[in-house]
Amino acid sequence: MGKLSTHVLDTTQGKPGAGVKVELYSVTEGQRRLLRQETTNQDGRCDSPLLEGDAVKPGQYELVFAAGDYFAAQGVDLPSPRFIDRVTIAFGIADASQNYHVPLVVTPWSYSTYRGS
């Protein structure tokens, strides 16, 4: 049985992104449905998988990270409006038996992701 997990890496400070609000949505025919809300722990991870077991289903999903709020709370001087604010990563799960790890590597000016396991 597969699972979905994430973590946040703050490459501006070279540390995990602790305290980042994360929302997980399923997307069906253009309609978003909120599945879960979490806040990352001191290691920049959620305390448990976002989805696991029978909850992992093939389909389209979105992870939304409140990166701008995180950087503001860190005391970073941000422009108004923020260049990077809410980061949305749209991705698909094709095989529910596999593990999908979707991390966010972020600064106030850039971000990237990749598929881990």
Side-chain angles (χ1 to χ4, degrees):
M1 295 235 161
K3 68 180 178 181
L4 171 64
S5 59
T6 190
H7 75 275
V8 178
L9 298 171
D10 173 352
T11 55
T12 302
Q13 300 181 72
K15 67 178 191 174
V20 178
K21 293 180 183 174
V22 180
E23 299 168 341
L24 172 65
Y25 294 88
S26 64
V27 182
T28 306
E29 297 179 8
Q31 298 296 315
R32 296 168 78 206
R33 183 170 62 95
L34 180 64
L35 299 178
R36 191 153 174 191
Q37 293 177 306
E38 292 289 329
T39 300
T40 57
N41 61 25
Q42 292 301 315
D43 195 33
R45 299 175 183 275
C46 297
D47 289 329
S48 62
L50 295 170
L51 295 174
E52 63 183 324
D54 292 338
V56 181
K57 302 196 181 313
Q60 295 296 124
Y61 295 86
E62 291 181 358
L63 280 170
V64 181
F65 300 85
D69 291 344
Y70 163 78
F71 285 114
Q74 297 295 305
V76 176
D77 185 22
L78 300 170
S80 181
R82 298 168 180 165
F83 183 71
I84 300 291
D85 193 22
R86 293 176 53 83
V87 175
T88 301
I89 300 173
F91 65 97
I93 291 179
D95 183 347
S97 69
Q98 294 186 12
N99 292 335
Y100 289 80
H101 184 67
V102 184
L104 175 67
V105 180
V106 65
T107 79
W109 307 106
S110 65
Y111 65 90
S112 66
T113 191
Y114 57 90
R115 182 188 169 192
S117 58

